[in-house]
Amino acid sequence: MAQWTSAVGAAQLARLLGSQQDRPAGPGTRRPPAYRALADGIRLLVLEGRVPVAARLPAERELALALSVSRTTVAAAYEALRGEGFLESRRGAGSWTAVPAGNPVPARGLEPLPPEALGSMIDLGCAALPAPEPWLTRAVQGALEELPPYAHTHGDYPAGLPALRAMIADRYTQRGIATMPEQIMVTTGAMGAIDAICHLFGGRGERIAVESPSYANILQLMREAGARMVPVAMAEGLTGWDLERWRQVLREAAPRIAYVVADFHNPTGALADEDQRRRLVDAARSAGTVLVADETMSELWLDEDVEMPRPVCAFDPAGSTVITVGSASKAFWAGMRIGWVRAAPDVIRSLVAARAYADLGTPVLEQLAVNWLFGTGGWEEAVELRRTQARQNRDELVSAVRRELPGWEFEVPRGGLTLWVRTGGLSGSRLAEAGERVGVRVPSGPRFGVDGAFEGYVRLPFTVGGAVAEEAATRLAAAARIVETGGTTGGEAPRTFVA
């Protein structure tokens, strides 16, 4: 019986390998043999999760033709991968990818670093900050006081607690968007909200237009749902969307859904202005596309003079085009898994009905905690504390990276939690791998793209500051030197760092 569970075609593998950009070799730098470069490229694709574990690779002859190299080169690369534990083969069954014993299986998302690794590894993979105390503790205590009446019920509220739905609706109304509780469904985080929307509107094989780059975990969610993603390139820098490209894609591809992050886009930090929002909603309406607006970062402006545009749904007064997703996880704490959907009442009813076959509902205690925050003014104070922390982290990380890596390019966003960095021609995948070896975990650009795009980028979140930011930049510079020279760490293990 074959040990592989999926297959990668020769043309697909060649395209993925071609997306790996290397800085030209400098004077005195020796290029690796062709077979070694090919083996390294396939190993990186496996470590990145862009080629799944247990995926059957093309036959040697097929891959050699696709890459325009000799079959001997492919055979030597496969043999090297087998020796390193990244490939297994059996006569008659072919060759399939693997990971050596002791290596974690790539998850392809931005999963949190295990707690036991925090002593020696600086984690820049997860864009989440510690809880803004004392507001988490106060919110939980307030929720416990409100819990007894709910404890006498069945505890299942597929649409969310009525009190929290009304509170969220009131907050939209206060922002100038008249909203009824019937237009709100409470979910298990923004991921739960988008998963429900994708299953309702975007069945297997449906086209979904996405920004390019976009949020890695959402892209992976859509892949797992069987969606056909249509990337739409972002405009350069922090200017947001290229509306001509959006209009063209919506008109020609006619995607069922379009997913956008207009408020401090993840990963670029771009903020779309009101004219861009209006024109995109108009284009989506004309194309019959459901526009999913993720506003989980909307309250995380970091500079005092930022003027926030109206929400995307403000330009859809009939409520027929835009579905809005919000969450407490970015603005408050990632451990508070409360999200919500704002949509037309009939859409909410359909989402609630479908939930009977998913997670049934969201934990009552956490809903009560968020409701307490909204009702007491604790939310505003906690989010202001979060802004202060993120602003300081941003400024200190920017300063450290500019000093240690002057060749890296980026624009400083005025809000959000992430810095999108062009790495001076270095491979983001190789930087991520080298970073693990020197004690800094950083996600590479291809995780935020479709089909291998953005190899020359990494994403740096504002999750560390002070001495930890300084050390993170130092370790990133060490990783860059490894990639530039093709060298090693010299056997030195990363030192334990205590903040």
Side-chain angles (χ1 to χ4, degrees):
M1 179 178 178
Q3 301 298 307
W4 47 271
T5 56
S6 62
V8 180
Q12 179 186 7
L13 185 56
R15 185 172 66 253
L16 290 170
L17 288 165
S19 73
Q20 296 176 335
Q21 301 168 359
D22 285 314
R23 168 176 285 187
T29 302
R30 296 180 60 186
R31 290 186 178 275
Y35 85 89
R36 182 70 263 173
L38 176 56
D40 287 348
I42 294 174
R43 175 170 51 83
L44 280 169
L45 291 173
V46 174
L47 290 172
E48 271 285 301
R50 291 157 64 200
V51 168
V53 175
R56 187 178 186 274
L57 294 186
E60 293 171 3
R61 188 185 302 276
E62 294 175 358
L63 186 57
L65 287 171
L67 295 175
S68 298
V69 299
S70 71
R71 183 177 176 181
T72 302
T73 296
V74 177
Y78 278 14
E79 183 60 32
L81 289 168
R82 278 189 287 269
E84 296 163 3
F86 285 95
L87 195 69
E88 296 181 11
S89 304
R90 195 174 69 234
R91 186 178 298 277
S95 299
W96 57 91
T97 56
V99 290
N103 279 42
V105 177
R108 289 201 282 183
L110 303 181
E111 69 285 354
L113 190 69
E116 62 270 18
L118 292 175
S120 60
M121 185 76 69
I122 298 176
D123 185 11
L124 297 181
C126 188
L129 291 162
E133 289 288 29
W135 296 108
L136 174 62
T137 298
R138 291 181 183 177
V140 173
Q141 290 170 341
L144 288 171
E145 293 175 2
E146 299 292 331
L147 182 61
Y150 295 93
H152 295 290
T153 73
H154 50 63
D156 287 335
Y157 296 89
L161 293 183
L164 181 55
R165 294 177 73 197
M167 185 71 74
I168 294 170
D170 286 345
R171 290 174 65 84
Y172 277 106
T173 300
Q174 291 165 15
R175 294 167 67 187
I177 317 297
T179 304
M180 304 178 295
E182 292 79 10
Q183 291 176 263
I184 301 297
M185 181 177 83
V186 180
T187 63
T188 307
M191 290 288 290
I194 295 168
D195 182 57
I197 294 166
C198 285
H199 279 89
L200 181 63
F201 289 99
R204 184 165 292 275
E206 288 281 2
R207 293 186 181 92
I208 300 180
V210 295
E211 296 148 326
S212 183
S214 187
Y215 178 36
N217 287 341
I218 294 297
L219 295 180
Q220 186 60 22
L221 182 155
M222 292 175 180
R223 290 187 187 102
E224 297 293 339
R228 297 165 61 191
M229 286 179 288
V230 183
V232 186
M234 296 285 289
E236 284 296 318
L238 300 177
T239 55
W241 301 325
D242 184 328
L243 267 300
E244 290 308 313
R245 289 179 182 173
W246 270 103
R247 190 175 297 278
Q248 179 182 2
V249 167
L250 294 177
R251 181 178 63 250
E252 296 178 358
R256 186 70 181 92
I257 302 174
Y259 169 77
V260 297
V261 184
D263 302 295
F264 307 119
H265 175 261
N266 185 355
T268 68
L271 176 65
D273 61 32
E274 290 206 357
D275 181 61
Q276 290 172 319
R277 295 167 192 238
R278 179 184 296 105
R279 291 168 61 194
L280 184 61
V281 172
D282 289 345
R285 184 184 298 114
S286 297
T289 297
V290 175
L291 184 60
V292 180
D294 183 339
E295 59 174 27
T296 54
M297 296 282 191
S298 64
E299 297 190 62
L300 289 176
W301 63 86
L302 304 184
D303 296 333
E304 296 297 335
D305 59 343
V306 173
E307 293 186 13
M308 289 300 296
R310 285 177 291 170
V312 175
C313 59
F315 304 98
D316 180 36
S320 59
T321 299
V322 177
I323 297 178
T324 302
V325 172
S327 173
S329 298
K330 292 297 185 184
F332 185 75
W333 183 47
M336 188 67 77
R337 304 304 304 158
I338 299 295
W340 52 85
V341 177
R342 181 198 180 274
D346 63 316
V347 173
I348 295 297
R349 287 193 295 269
S350 297
L351 289 170
V352 171
R355 198 170 194 182
Y357 309 101
D359 63 354
L360 294 178
T362 302
V364 170
L365 189 62
E366 292 186 28
Q367 292 188 70
L368 289 172
V370 172
N371 194 57
W372 182 92
L373 287 165
F374 285 157
T376 61
W379 176 267
E380 284 71 24
E381 295 198 39
V383 172
E384 182 56 40
L385 181 62
R386 170 67 79 237
R387 291 190 197 108
T388 300
Q389 185 179 16
R391 183 186 307 116
Q392 181 175 340
N393 284 356
R394 178 196 65 181
D395 295 346
E396 291 171 348
L397 183 63
V398 163
S399 177
V401 172
R402 281 177 170 165
R403 183 180 60 256
E404 296 291 335
L405 293 150
W408 287 17
E409 302 172 34
F410 53 86
E411 290 191 46
V412 181
R414 308 192 70 192
L417 290 172
T418 57
L419 196 66
W420 186 237
V421 182
R422 183 182 283 114
T423 56
L426 298 181
S427 161
S429 298
R430 286 177 165 80
L431 280 166
E433 184 193 24
E436 295 273 355
R437 293 155 61 188
V438 298
V440 59
R441 183 171 180 261
V442 57
S444 65
R447 293 196 173 202
F448 303 89
V450 177
D451 288 336
F454 306 110
E455 184 61 62
Y457 289 81
V458 294
R459 190 195 73 171
L460 305 180
F462 313 143
T463 53
V464 297
V468 185
E470 299 280 347
E471 180 67 14
T474 299
R475 295 185 185 187
L476 283 171
R481 287 192 294 272
I482 292 172
V483 175
E484 284 182 310
T485 63
T488 67
T489 60
E492 180 184 353
R495 60 185 180 276
T496 299
F497 189 82
V498 179

